[in-house]
Amino acid sequence: EVWLVESGGGLVQPGGSLRLACTASGFAFDQFAMAWFRRAPGRKEREGVAIVKTTDGTTYYSDSAEGRFTISCDSSKNTVYLEMNGLKLEDTAVYYCGALRGGPYGTDWYKYVYDYWGHGIQVTVSS
């Protein structure tokens, strides 16, 4: 059975930091790319935030995440992380971890149909 379990969310003040983690089980972690998406309040669709290829560490970021967020993975722990710094009010969202079977994707990584999803975790940025 496949599991993606997110942790590390919560309430933080503007300018603060949070580190999300997503631990996977039930599939070959090192054969997938791992990504973070988010759904802001009132939005129907998820927005791609960042992705990391577990095979070689290649990363891509959305424009809103570039320079503030860092995605990384630890294959020995089947875990992907999202370090978020300089958080803004507009970063408030439910954050989801997704797994994408390896493929020749690039800057269009967020358009693909992902194989597995976590249930999401709330991140609230508020003063």
Side-chain angles (χ1 to χ4, degrees), residues 55-106:
T55 52
D56 62 9
T58 300
T59 58
Y60 294 99
Y61 293 91
S62 67
D63 289 343
S64 61
E66 187 76 52
R68 298 189 299 128
F69 296 180
T70 302
I71 189 170
S72 62
C73 65
D74 185 341
S75 294
S76 69
K77 298 180 180 180
N78 282 7
T79 299
V80 59
Y81 303 96
L82 185 68
E83 184 78 33
M84 304 187 292
N85 299 309
L87 283 161
K88 304 175 181 180
L89 297 176
E90 53 264 40
D91 293 318
T92 294
V94 177
Y95 284 71
Y96 298 88
C97 173
L100 177 65
R101 198 178 303 272
Y105 59 85

Side-chain angles (χ1 to χ4, degrees), residues 100-114:
L100 177 65
R101 198 178 303 272
Y105 59 85
T107 55
D108 61 346
W109 58 271
Y110 55 93
K111 297 180 180 179
Y112 283 71
V113 175
Y114 280 63

Side-chain angles (χ1 to χ4, degrees), residues 35-57:
W36 288 96
F37 283 71
R38 67 186 183 186
R39 181 183 286 126
R43 297 285 185 93
K44 290 187 178 180
E45 294 188 354
R46 283 186 277 219
E47 170 196 12
V49 177
I51 190 170
V52 59
K53 294 184 182 181
T54 59
T55 52
D56 62 9

